Amino acid sequence: MGAAERIGEFHADRVAEVTDDEYVSVTQDTFVGMAIDAFRAFEPVSDETTVYYLYVVDNSDRLVGVMSLRELLNAPEDDVVEDHMVTDLVTIDADADPEYAADEMAEREFPALPVVEDGVLVGVLRTDDMLEVVEEEATEDILKSAGFSFTDVEQSRSSAILESSIPRILRLRLPWLIVALAGGLLAGGVIDYHEETLSGVVALAFFVPVIMDMGGNVGTQASTIFVRGLALGHIDDRNAAKYFAREGFIGLLIGLMIGAIGAGAAYVWQMNEPYATELAIVVFVGLVSVCVVASVVGYVIPWVMNKLGFDPAAASDPLITTVKDVTALLIYFGLAAVLLAELL
Amino acid sequence: MGAAERIGEFHADRVAEVTDDEYVSVTQDTFVGMAIDAFRAFEPVSDETTVYYLYVVDNSDRLVGVMSLRELLNAPEDDVVEDHMVTDLVTIDADADPEYAADEMAEREFPALPVVEDGVLVGVLRTDDMLEVVEEEATEDILKSAGFSFTDVEQSRSSAILESSIPRILRLRLPWLIVALAGGLLAGGVIDYHEETLSGVVALAFFVPVIMDMGGNVGTQASTIFVRGLALGHIDDRNAAKYFAREGFIGLLIGLMIGAIGAGAAYVWQMNEPYATELAIVVFVGLVSVCVVASVVGYVIPWVMNKLGFDPAAASDPLITTVKDVTALLIYFGLAAVLLAELL
């Protein structure tokens, strides 16, 4: 059974689950000629299995060296492998995250890495098997970011989602939608709280969609950058505060630009009304607030989720949406109540 | 220069850009012993370059066969390679999409594939170089789905986005946000058009957030499944209509469930008002409509974008948002104007 067949059915959390047990190993006192014979004698189960390296172990099966097949062919047949093997080993731990292993292999351009458990050689990790792991992890990340709640990990495959039974699809998609429904109703509650203000200036309702859309978009961008950076190891405990401050500042800049355009549009739209200037100010502050809040919570909520041990991609979005909607509408209608007080 | 170094700087659109030119080839009349000598003599530029196969070409450099190093070692030295080579070749075209090549390699578990141009061997594609391509493509897909507009393709790397200068980040993030701003204002225009209805029943505004949130979430789910299915080759011209009909049906089921919960909440919330029943009906129809419309446009807009030659991940979302917002608000307020007419 090839590793790729196995990972087609379940998701690999440990390198050990993708490890291939077809490899050639000899002890360090083996002659080069005998090692070549060991290669000749080796019959992989699958025709496609290609063996890249000779692994050299001591009497306790601890990995002590590696030789490529080319190095082996170039060495005198009467020497022992110990005289020619590379001892500066790059190994991967059986418990390591497959995504980390894939990064390591891509960066170093190794076609295979020996997998060890307490120094003992237990198998080989091959890049051709890792391709599927990387594709699968990426697909799962993408689908999770759209709010699919995976109870069964095999559901992460795009084909599985496309082919699943309708009850199963509903079970994957509905949980997040119901949380979002609750969040949307809560945001409506904020409008209800300011019903009097809204009754006085109904035009305030015209800008609720744009405030919600901008917050949603800015927040999605922030959380996408953050979750991806976390998954790829670019963001960690040491630099999280730096990126967090930076994202808040970017959110402010985006808010000032989007807010200026939005306020200009609001002023032109309502210029024949007595409250045109005040409304433009309220729209400006509302848009700036929602951009800053969405940027900040788009970073902070996935971070907290990650710290609490939840998957940041899956668990964050409904919370981000609710927090930025409620906060922005509170600020928008709160400021409107103050500035437009004389019209009420 | 390794392929991985090259693709760190730019994005590969053709297999040829990731192809390795270090390989061993011989003509078909070469003796096995001489082919082994050719392997011994081969000195790769990088120590990490591992050669997996012997490629056999005719006098015009056309690829006619392949032998693995193991097969070579097991063949009698005085035979010619033609007698032992595999002629049932799997090759990849130099113009092919690297993502397609990666899928092919992962599925067949080949560590390397010969790259041909008009049948002539031009290089070798190695899985260890492809790992980076797959990771990069996936990251770009994820970031595009969050509305980053990539003018410079190297910006797709998560680390590049995290480290970019602030003007550059704004240039990547703002274009989509400005389109979304226009869409949000257009949706506000629909509310303006129904200002009279809204003035009569201000409570209609309370459900604008939930209708927008549900449409956004359902549409994002639909377009994520669709764009991912398209990228991975699970959706094509032949089956697109089937998946489209299925997604519309799923949108209807989701809408009926979410609509029922939302309408129930609306009724309980406003039960002391004379228009509670009518409002609950309007909320139900609004939620069902937005779920169906969002599911359908979440599929159709990326499909049309793809047909027109645009990237479906990058170009679709602001359009999906605008279409579902405007349609749903037109239905919501239109029905409200009819059902709540006596209160106006």
Side-chain angles (χ1 to χ4, degrees):
Chain A
M1 183 172 67
E5 284 156 45
R6 270 180 277 132
I7 59 167
E9 289 156 24
F10 69 89
H11 177 79
D13 290 319
R14 294 172 65 231
V15 159
E17 296 168 49
V18 210
T19 298
D20 203 310
D21 53 7
E22 299 195 73
Y23 57 89
V24 181
S25 67
V26 297
T27 51
Q28 65 223 78
D29 52 3
T30 309
F31 290 110
V32 168
M34 290 175 66
I36 293 176
D37 288 343
F39 258 111
R40 285 208 168 101
F42 174 68
E43 281 285 346
V45 176
S46 154
D47 273 357
E48 274 99 38
T49 299
T50 309
V51 173
Y52 320 92
Y53 296 111
L54 175 74
Y55 297 102
V56 185
V57 295
D58 66 13
N59 292 326
S60 322
D61 278 335
R62 300 178 71 85
L63 185 69
V64 293
V66 169
M67 277 184 88
S68 75
L69 197 41
R70 191 177 54 81
E71 288 163 341
L72 195 65
L73 289 173
N74 284 336
E77 301 214 349
D78 297 334
D79 284 7
V80 291
V81 294
E82 191 167 19
D83 297 339
H84 296 278
M85 69 190 190
V86 174
T87 54
D88 180 18
L89 299 173
V90 178
T91 62
I92 194 95
D93 196 87
D95 287 324
D97 179 353
E99 213 167 2
Y100 164 79
D103 281 354
E104 190 81 0
M105 295 173 99
E107 202 164 300
R108 294 174 183 263
E109 298 195 46
F110 286 146
L113 279 182
V115 179
V116 294
E117 203 158 358
D118 301 325
V120 173
L121 180 66
V122 294
V124 173
L125 195 62
R126 300 149 42 103
T127 43
D128 48 331
D129 293 334
M130 295 305 290
L131 277 178
E132 197 157 336
V133 173
V134 171
E135 184 69 59
E136 182 146 335
E137 293 263 358
T139 294
E140 192 180 296
D141 288 349
I142 292 172
L143 292 174
K144 271 183 187 160
S145 74
F148 290 84
S149 47
F150 293 100
T151 43
D152 304 322
V153 278
E154 94 262 29
Q155 289 295 329
S156 63
R157 292 173 62 89
S158 169
S159 58
I161 282 211
L162 287 169
E163 303 300 342
S164 288
S165 69
I166 286 181
R168 185 154 219 169
I169 289 185
L170 293 178
R171 214 173 62 216
L172 283 172
R173 290 175 67 167
L174 271 176
W176 197 58
L177 295 176
I178 288 171
V179 178
L181 177 75
L185 290 171
L186 192 62
V190 174
I191 303 181
D192 185 9
Y193 180 76
H194 287 284
E195 184 183 356
E196 205 183 324
T197 312
L198 180 59
S199 300
V201 182
V202 175
L204 281 169
F206 307 166
F207 302 95
V208 168
V210 80
I211 287 175
M212 297 189 58
D213 276 350
M214 294 320 299
N217 294 339
V218 171
T220 300
Q221 288 190 341
S223 69
T224 302
I225 301 177
F226 184 82
V227 170
R228 198 71 198 143
L230 207 61
L232 295 178
H234 299 142
I235 295 178
D236 54 33
D237 277 356
R238 282 165 299 132
N239 61 23
K242 185 189 93 185
Y243 287 124
F244 166 69
R246 198 176 145 89
E247 179 62 27
F249 181 62
I250 291 169
L252 179 64
L253 291 179
I254 288 175
L256 290 171
M257 284 185 252
I258 294 291
I261 303 172
Y267 185 80
V268 171
W269 188 349
Q270 301 293 319
M271 66 194 304
N272 296 325
E273 305 290 342
Y275 48 74
T277 308
E278 287 82 357
L279 186 68
I281 294 171
V282 173
V283 169
F284 177 76
V285 173
L287 284 171
V288 174
S289 313
V290 82
C291 289
V292 174
V293 170
S295 291
V296 169
V297 298
Y299 256 52
V300 168
I301 291 181
W303 180 247
V304 171
M305 285 292 170
N306 185 52
K307 283 284 168 198
L308 294 178
F310 296 104
D311 186 311
S316 303
D317 261 50
L319 267 179
I320 295 173
T321 304
T322 303
V323 172
K324 62 94 187 152
D325 281 356
V326 169
T327 313
L329 291 176
L330 277 174
I331 293 172
Y332 176 71
F333 281 104
L335 184 66
V338 174
L339 286 188
L340 301 171
E342 74 271 21
L343 293 163
L344 305 180
Chain B
M1 183 171 67
E5 285 156 46
R6 271 181 277 130
I7 59 167
E9 289 156 26
F10 71 94
H11 177 80
D13 290 318
R14 295 171 64 232
V15 158
E17 296 167 50
V18 210
T19 298
D20 202 311
D21 53 8
E22 298 196 74
Y23 57 89
V24 180
S25 68
V26 298
T27 51
Q28 65 223 77
D29 52 4
T30 309
F31 290 108
V32 167
M34 290 176 67
I36 294 176
D37 288 345
F39 257 109
R40 285 208 169 98
F42 175 68
E43 280 286 346
V45 177
S46 154
D47 274 357
E48 274 100 38
T49 299
T50 309
V51 174
Y52 319 91
Y53 295 111
L54 175 75
Y55 297 103
V56 186
V57 295
D58 66 14
N59 292 326
S60 321
D61 277 336
R62 300 178 72 84
L63 184 70
V64 293
V66 169
M67 278 184 87
S68 75
L69 197 41
R70 193 177 54 81
E71 287 164 342
L72 196 65
L73 289 173
N74 284 335
E77 301 215 348
D78 297 334
D79 284 8
V80 291
V81 293
E82 193 168 19
D83 298 338
H84 297 277
M85 69 190 190
V86 174
T87 54
D88 179 18
L89 299 173
V90 179
T91 62
I92 194 96
D93 196 87
D95 287 323
D97 178 353
E99 214 169 0
Y100 165 79
D103 280 355
E104 190 80 1
M105 295 173 98
E107 202 163 302
R108 294 173 182 267
E109 297 195 49
F110 286 146
L113 278 182
V115 178
V116 295
E117 203 158 357
D118 301 326
V120 172
L121 180 67
V122 294
V124 172
L125 194 62
R126 298 150 43 102
T127 42
D128 48 331
D129 293 333
M130 295 305 290
L131 276 178
E132 199 157 335
V133 173
V134 170
E135 184 68 60
E136 183 147 336
E137 293 263 358
T139 295
E140 193 181 294
D141 288 349
I142 292 171
L143 293 173
K144 271 184 187 159
S145 74
F148 290 84
S149 46
F150 294 100
T151 43
D152 304 322
V153 277
E154 93 263 28
Q155 289 295 329
S156 63
R157 291 173 65 85
S158 168
S159 57
I161 282 211
L162 287 169
E163 301 301 342
S164 288
S165 69
I166 286 182
R168 186 155 219 169
I169 289 184
L170 293 177
R171 216 173 63 218
L172 284 171
R173 291 176 64 167
L174 270 177
W176 196 58
L177 296 176
I178 289 171
V179 177
L181 178 74
L185 289 171
L186 192 63
V190 173
I191 303 181
D192 186 6
Y193 180 76
H194 288 284
E195 184 183 356
E196 207 184 322
T197 312
L198 180 59
S199 299
V201 182
V202 176
L204 282 168
F206 305 167
F207 301 95
V208 169
V210 81
I211 286 176
M212 297 189 60
D213 276 351
M214 293 321 299
N217 294 340
V218 172
T220 300
Q221 289 189 340
S223 70
T224 302
I225 301 177
F226 184 82
V227 169
R228 200 69 199 145
L230 207 61
L232 295 178
H234 299 142
I235 295 179
D236 54 33
D237 278 356
R238 283 165 298 134
N239 60 23
K242 184 188 92 183
Y243 287 123
F244 166 69
R246 195 176 148 89
E247 179 62 27
F249 181 63
I250 291 169
L252 177 65
L253 291 179
I254 288 175
L256 291 171
M257 285 184 251
I258 293 290
I261 303 172
Y267 184 81
V268 172
W269 189 347
Q270 302 292 320
M271 65 194 302
N272 296 324
E273 304 289 342
Y275 49 72
T277 308
E278 288 83 356
L279 186 68
I281 295 172
V282 172
V283 169
F284 177 76
V285 173
L287 284 171
V288 173
S289 315
V290 82
C291 289
V292 174
V293 170
S295 290
V296 169
V297 297
Y299 257 52
V300 168
I301 292 180
W303 180 247
V304 172
M305 286 291 170
N306 185 52
K307 284 283 169 200
L308 295 178
F310 295 103
D311 186 312
S316 305
D317 261 47
L319 267 180
I320 296 172
T321 304
T322 303
V323 172
K324 64 94 187 151
D325 281 355
V326 168
T327 313
L329 290 175
L330 277 175
I331 293 172
Y332 177 71
F333 280 104
L335 182 66
V338 174
L339 287 189
L340 302 172
E342 73 271 22
L343 292 163
L344 305 180

